[in-house]
């Protein structure tokens, strides 16, 4: 079945042979491909009645330099020839022969064949030529030169992968093929349609197309493998996942037993990688496992692995069952470790455009036995790499892949500690990009808060701090004050200076926003002292991938100290903290661009209070460029407002106003209310400067309403350039009193 072209060629060669043009044909193909079946069909149909057919075969266990395959043929042709019956034919005696003795014996064999051919055309079938010893090949090489004008056709079968293992045999076959009356016939796997036809003919019932397709892919169209799968079960075969039949397993065991351990390792590694493998990737992983590169050539020599004819640099399994067998035959823990090594190598080699799913697949396979923490390590390494490049969106993608791996594992509790840490880190990255008020941060915060109770019934400092920052960002100042109280309580009951520092920061920001600047400065000064003492012991803040709070608190405290002293009119202290802030974030080794952007934002706001338009533009422009370069959209929105204000005052009215309005719109979309009133005030002042007084009035009215509703009285301070507009837009006397006296 599926060999019509091959049969046509055999028929043509047999016709020429009957006419006296002898030929030698080598039929090549892997084990089970149908070489013997093809020759049986030729014998019983094409050659029947016209040729005398004689068979023999080579055997690996025969002692060298035996002529047994040819002697067996000759005895069938002429029982009286005496070949193989006298002492000269004994292999032990042949070992002592001189070259002339061998030549004499070979010529006797050839003469016997030619004598028989004069009586009737001959078809000599010699199977498993790859197992032949040198004398057997010498006879064939001598015979091929003598049958050019004789009705003799010799058809020999051989396996190419076995031929490749013996250079001497390979050279002899090459010399035989140099003759003009020789050729090869290569048998490949059946096509999908031919495989389906074979399955139906054997099973006696039609198969669903997708089942036949899977079987064909698993077998590579190899008839032996295909028929083993179809006939080797009791009718309960699950065709969607073909198993490796017993006889196939034994054949593969036998083939692999002849391979070196390194060759077997290469084949198993390829099985872990997939049906098709990129050769450069394979050699990289082999290097990490100390497998010599020559083992890959040895693996290709087995015939189980092949070069891809259509894609350069790719190798693939000859059929899927070999891969299934190798995976089944490898201890599960060993297989999991190799999956982990593959994932780690893929992570090191990963470039833009590579397949994310491939790494995730290997990580999941490793995690099933090695655990979630070890399994996701290559994905976290990629997230770290992208985050170090400030490719935050790509880092989030890798973290999402890690969460998907953990979620796919069996669970013995509602959420694993690994997944909790992953979601904390994702929450921090979303906060970095979109601000603590974004919907995604709120979603993660809700999940993390609930899951923390699974492992610990207490509220950790970092989580409380994030909750407070979220409350501040979204304008829930009373809730932020309550969380600050919880942080103080936590500091009193084992939370230590970390909790106290966080409490002071939340207190300071809440008081600052409420216009109680003197109290805010006291809280911020206390927090600064605690933070600096902590850093003196640890030299650095928590690692940026820790998951809770990515900012350097030295920057946070000094930012609000600089703004607070600015609004209280203390120019000396303002300049002190402004200088410290810029100095801390100026170093090229400082790896937190979000803090640097914050420092530029504060520098720009202080310049606004000084009516230093050029200073505002320089600080905001530098910060905005940094935020854009490091993928920090939150700070791009924040810095766009003072930059737009400066552009308006420099004469670029339309450009500046458009920039400010877009930033305000985007901030509102991400639920960022912190500093919104300040930004509305800047917009109102910019509109007033351009002469759009009615628009300025409406904008200032909106700002005043929001100031009153959320109690953000810091915006009423006279240092801001829109202070002149406030008195004519409805600020209450009570609000003015709070600002002047600094209390509620």
């Amino acid at each position: 079945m599926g060999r019509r072209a091959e049969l046509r060629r055999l028929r043509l060669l047999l016709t020429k042979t009957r006419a006296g043009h002898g030929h030698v044909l080598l039929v090549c193909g892997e084990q089970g491909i149908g070489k013997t079946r093809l020759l049986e069909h030729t014998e019983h149909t094409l050659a029947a009645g016209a040729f005398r057919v004689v068979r023999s075969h080579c055997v690996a266990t025969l002692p060298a330099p035996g002529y047994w395959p040819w002697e067996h043929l000759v005895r069938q042709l002429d029982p009286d020839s005496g070949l193989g019956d006298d002492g000269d034919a004994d292999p032990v005696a042949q070992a002592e022969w001189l070259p002339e003795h061998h030549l004499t014996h070979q010529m006797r064999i050839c003469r016997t064949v030619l004598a028989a051919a004069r009586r009737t055309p001959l078809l000599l079938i010699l199977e498993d030529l790859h197992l032949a010893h040198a004398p057997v090949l010498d006879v064939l090489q001598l015979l091929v030169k003598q049958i050019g004008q004789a009705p003799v056709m010799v058809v020999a079968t051989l396996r190419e992968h076995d031929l490749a293992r013996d250079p001497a045999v390979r050279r002899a076959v090459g010399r035989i093929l140099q003759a003009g009356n020789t050729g090869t016939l290569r048998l490949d796997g059946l096509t999908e349609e031919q495989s389906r036809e074979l399955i139906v003919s054997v099973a006696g019932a039609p198969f669903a197309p997708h089942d036949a397709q899977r079987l064909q892919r698993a077998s590579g169209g190899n008839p032996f493998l295909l028929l083993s799968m179809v006939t080797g079960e009791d009718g309960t075969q699950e065709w969607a996942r073909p198993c490796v039949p017993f006889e196939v397993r034994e054949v593969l065991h036998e083939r692999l037993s002849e391979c070196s351990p390194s060759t077997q390792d290469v084949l198993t590694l390829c099985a872990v990688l997939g049906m098709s493998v990129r050769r450069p990737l394979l050699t990289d992983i082999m290097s990490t496992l100390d497998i010599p590169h020559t083992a890959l050539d040895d693996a290709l020599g087995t015939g189980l692995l092949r070069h891809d004819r259509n894609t350069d640099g790719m190798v693939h399994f000859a059929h899927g069952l070999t891969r299934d067998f190798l995976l089944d035959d490898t201890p599960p823990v060993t297989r999991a470790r190799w999956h982990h090594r593959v994932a780690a190598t893929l992570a090191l080699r990963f470039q833009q455009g590579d397949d994310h799913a491939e790494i995730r697949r290997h990580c999941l396979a490793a995690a099933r036995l090695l655990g979630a923490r070890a399994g996701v390590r290559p994905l976290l390494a990629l997230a770290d790499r992208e985050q170090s490049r400030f490719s935050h969106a790509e880092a989030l993608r890798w973290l999402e892949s890690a969460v998907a791996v953990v979620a796919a594992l069996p669970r013995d509790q509602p959420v694993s500690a690994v997944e909790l840490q992953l979601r904390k880190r994702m929450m921090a990255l979303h906060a970095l990009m979109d601000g603590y008020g974004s919907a995604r941060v709120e979603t993660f915060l809700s999940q993390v808060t609930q899951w923390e109770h699974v492992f610990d019934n207490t509220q950790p400092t970092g989580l409380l701090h994030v909750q407070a920052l979220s409350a501040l960002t979204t304008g829930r100042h009373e809730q932020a004050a309550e969380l600050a109280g919880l942080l103080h309580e936590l500091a009193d009951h084992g939370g230590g200076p970390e909790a106290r520092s966080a409490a002071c920061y939340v207190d300071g920001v809440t008081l600052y926003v409420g216009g109680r600047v003197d109290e805010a400065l006291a809280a911020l000064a206390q927090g600064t002292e605690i933070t600096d003492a902590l850093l003196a012991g640890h030299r650095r803040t928590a690692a940026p991938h820790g998951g809770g709070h990515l900012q350097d608190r030295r920057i946070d405290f000094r930012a609000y100290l600089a703004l607070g002293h600015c609004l209280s009119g203390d120019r000396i202290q303002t300049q002190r903290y402004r200088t410290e802030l810029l100095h801390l974030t100026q170093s090229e080794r400082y790896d937190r661009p979000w803090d640097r952007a914050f420092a530029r934002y504060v520098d720009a706001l202080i310049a606004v209070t000084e009516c230093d338009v050029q200073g505002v533009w320089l600080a905001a422009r530098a910060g905005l460029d940094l935020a854009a370069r490091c993928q920090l959209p939150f700070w791009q929105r924040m810095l766009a407002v003072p930059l737009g204000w400066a552009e308006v005052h420099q004469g670029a009215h339309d450009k500046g106003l458009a920039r400010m309005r877009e930033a305000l719109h985007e901030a509102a979309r991400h639920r960022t209310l912190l500093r919104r009133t300040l930004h509305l005030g800047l917009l109102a002042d910019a509109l007033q400067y351009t002469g759009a007084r009615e628009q300025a009035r409406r904008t200032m009215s909106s700002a005043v309403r929001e100031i009153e509703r959320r109690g953000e009285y810091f915006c009423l301070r006279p240092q801001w350039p829109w202070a002149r507009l406030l008195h004519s837009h409805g600020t209450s006397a009570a609000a003015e009193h709070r600002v002047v006296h600094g209390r509620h």
Side-chain angles (χ1 to χ4, degrees), residues 314-584:
M314 293 288 290
V315 296
H316 65 88
F317 281 99
H319 32 72
L321 282 182
T322 302
R323 178 178 179 244
D324 295 341
F325 165 77
L326 288 164
L327 290 175
D328 292 344
D329 211 45
T330 305
V333 173
T334 301
R335 191 167 64 239
R337 287 173 179 159
W338 282 34
H339 276 294
H340 191 272
R341 183 65 64 92
V342 169
T345 304
L346 286 170
L348 285 173
R349 292 170 48 93
F350 190 84
Q351 299 293 329
Q352 194 70 27
D354 288 352
D355 187 7
H356 287 66
E358 186 179 6
I359 300 180
R360 186 167 61 244
R361 175 174 67 84
H362 289 293
C363 286
L364 178 57
R368 288 194 175 108
L369 280 176
L370 303 182
R373 194 174 300 280
V376 301
R377 199 169 292 140
L379 296 171
L380 294 184
L382 281 163
D384 290 345
R385 187 184 78 175
E386 295 304 326
Q387 199 166 334
S388 69
R389 297 173 176 176
F390 310 118
S391 300
H392 304 303
E394 194 66 18
L396 278 169
R397 189 175 178 184
W398 288 117
L399 292 174
E400 288 166 357
S401 293
V403 168
V405 167
V406 177
L409 298 175
R411 293 176 180 249
D412 55 2
Q413 54 188 8
V415 62
S416 72
V418 176
E419 186 173 1
L420 176 59
Q421 293 304 314
L422 288 171
R423 291 192 179 274
K424 281 185 175 181
R425 183 168 168 183
M426 291 173 70
M427 175 182 68
L429 273 178
H430 278 297
L432 194 64
M433 295 174 65
D434 297 325
Y436 282 97
S438 70
R440 287 185 177 181
V441 172
E442 288 286 317
T443 300
F444 277 112
L445 184 55
S446 176
Q447 290 176 347
V448 168
T449 302
Q450 293 175 10
W451 292 350
E452 278 285 0
H453 292 294
V454 175
F455 302 99
D456 188 353
N457 204 28
T458 63
Q459 290 270 36
T461 299
L463 187 56
L464 281 174
H465 196 175
V466 172
Q467 290 174 330
L469 292 174
S470 177
L472 285 170
T473 304
T474 52
R476 295 170 287 152
H477 304 308
E478 291 184 2
Q479 182 181 350
E482 292 175 3
L483 290 166
L486 290 176
L487 285 165
H488 279 297
E489 186 177 340
L490 181 61
D492 292 335
H493 295 85
E498 286 281 354
R500 186 73 69 193
S501 171
C504 290
Y505 180 72
V506 178
D507 270 342
V509 176
T510 305
L511 292 166
Y512 165 84
V513 171
R516 299 161 64 182
V517 175
D518 291 341
E519 295 171 72
L521 290 173
L524 292 167
Q526 181 186 0
T528 302
E529 183 178 348
I530 296 170
T531 299
D532 289 350
L534 282 171
L535 290 175
H538 299 291
R539 301 301 300 171
R540 286 186 61 85
T541 56
H545 307 326
H549 186 58
L550 294 181
Q551 278 72 22
D552 181 343
R553 287 183 183 167
R554 296 175 303 170
I555 307 304
D556 295 342
F557 279 113
R558 284 167 172 80
Y560 278 100
L561 281 168
L563 287 172
H565 282 294
C566 176
L567 297 186
S568 68
D570 190 338
R571 297 178 63 86
I572 294 176
Q573 290 298 318
T574 298
Q575 192 57 36
R576 170 196 167 187
Y577 287 112
R578 185 185 194 181
T579 301
E580 289 182 10
L581 186 63
L582 295 174
H583 175 74
L584 284 172

Side-chain angles (χ1 to χ4, degrees), residues 29-31 159-165 186 222 225 252 255-256 259 263 267 296-307 316-319 322:
E30 66 174 343
Q31 187 174 12
R159 302 176 196 164
E160 290 171 296
H161 65 272
D162 283 321
L163 185 65
R165 291 191 304 208
R186 177 183 176 81
N222 183 301
L225 300 179
L252 290 173
R255 287 181 66 171
L256 290 172
C259 300
T263 303
L267 291 168
L296 176 54
D297 294 327
D298 295 338
L300 288 163
T302 65
L304 300 174
L305 201 65
R306 298 175 179 172
H307 284 292
H316 65 88
F317 281 99
H319 32 72
T322 302

Side-chain angles (χ1 to χ4, degrees), residues 28-35 128 130 158-162 187 219 222-225 247-248 250-256 258 302-304 306 319:
C28 310
E30 66 174 343
Q31 187 174 12
I33 202 66
K35 300 183 295 295
D128 297 328
H130 52 275
L158 58 87
R159 302 176 196 164
E160 290 171 296
H161 65 272
D162 283 321
L187 298 187
S219 66
N222 183 301
F224 167 70
L225 300 179
E247 60 269 31
V248 176
E250 293 309 304
V251 168
L252 290 173
H253 268 303
E254 187 273 332
R255 287 181 66 171
L256 290 172
E258 300 174 357
T302 65
L304 300 174
R306 298 175 179 172
H319 32 72

Side-chain angles (χ1 to χ4, degrees), residues 613-614 617 642-658 686 689-691:
V613 173
Q614 182 66 9
W617 188 89
L643 179 60
W645 180 88
E647 287 173 336
V648 168
H649 284 266
Q650 288 174 335
H653 296 176
D654 292 340
K655 179 180 178 181
L657 290 174
Y689 183 83
T690 64

